[in-house]
Amino acid sequence: TPRTRIMATEGKATEKPQSIEIVYFPVQARAENLQMMLEYGKVDYTYTYTGGSEYRDDRKNLKFPFNSLPVVFITTKSGEKVTLAQSGAITRYFAGFCGLMPEDPIQAAICDSIFEHAQDMMKINPLVNVFRGDKFKELKEEYF
């Protein structure tokens, strides 16, 4: 099993890994931007859907750091197996080798602040895509 470690890019472009596997639910949410970034950077990857009993078993067996998704399994150019968790950390890592992270620290911080604002707005996703009827009205009132 891949082990978890922290990878710091120090604001510099990172080398594309040998392989990337994104694991997430079959919905458009926190892994969608990851796919868009890899497509933009013309980086090959595998997208693995999970859910139901498979997801429950994987959580029970601690396959995913922090017991949450998305998770990315990476094989580096040197062959090291790395597991990355948390969509923000994965996004910043991908931005480094997809040509999406400015080298200037101020510009990078501005990009990061826009990303973080989008993360704050994630509450809208289930509101728009999942809930109907009274629950939709209740959450819409709460959010807006």
Side-chain angles (χ1 to χ4, degrees):
T1 3
R3 60 191 164 94
T4 304
R5 75 178 179 99
I6 296 171
M7 298 180 69
T9 62
E10 298 176 13
K12 298 177 184 160
T14 7
E15 184 177 68
K16 288 181 188 176
Q18 189 178 89
S19 69
I20 299 171
E21 178 189 10
I22 301 170
V23 179
Y24 196 60
F25 306 109
V27 296
Q28 295 177 331
R30 294 193 181 272
E32 189 170 12
N33 70 306
L34 304 176
Q35 295 174 82
M36 290 178 181
M37 293 170 73
L38 295 173
E39 292 292 334
Y40 174 84
K42 297 180 178 36
V43 177
D44 292 332
Y45 66 97
T46 303
Y47 191 101
T48 303
Y49 297 114
T50 190
S53 61
E54 178 185 18
Y55 175 63
R56 283 190 298 278
D57 290 346
D58 286 342
R59 282 182 53 134
K60 198 182 314 178
N61 295 322
L62 303 176
K63 181 176 180 179
F64 309 125
F66 313 115
N67 256 344
S68 66
L69 296 176
V71 166
V72 175
F73 298 113
I74 292 171
T75 303
T76 65
K77 292 282 186 191
S78 65
E80 181 181 7
K81 305 282 187 187
V82 179
T83 302
L84 294 178
Q86 298 296 338
S87 57
I90 298 166
T91 296
R92 286 182 278 278
Y93 172 65
F94 283 7
F97 63 78
C98 288
L100 296 168
M101 183 61 75
E103 288 189 30
D104 176 82
I106 295 294
Q107 293 301 311
I110 291 169
C111 288
D112 205 28
S113 69
I114 294 167
F115 169 78
E116 290 299 332
H117 179 66
Q119 293 295 90
D120 289 345
M121 293 174 39
M122 282 301 290
K123 185 173 183 180
I124 295 173
N125 190 3
L127 174 65
V128 172
N129 293 311
V130 177
F131 299 110
R132 302 286 179 259
D134 291 339
K135 185 67 173 175
F136 173 80
K137 289 176 189 173
E138 174 191 332
L139 291 172
K140 181 179 167 190
E141 282 298 316
E142 181 184 314
Y143 188 82
F144 297 103

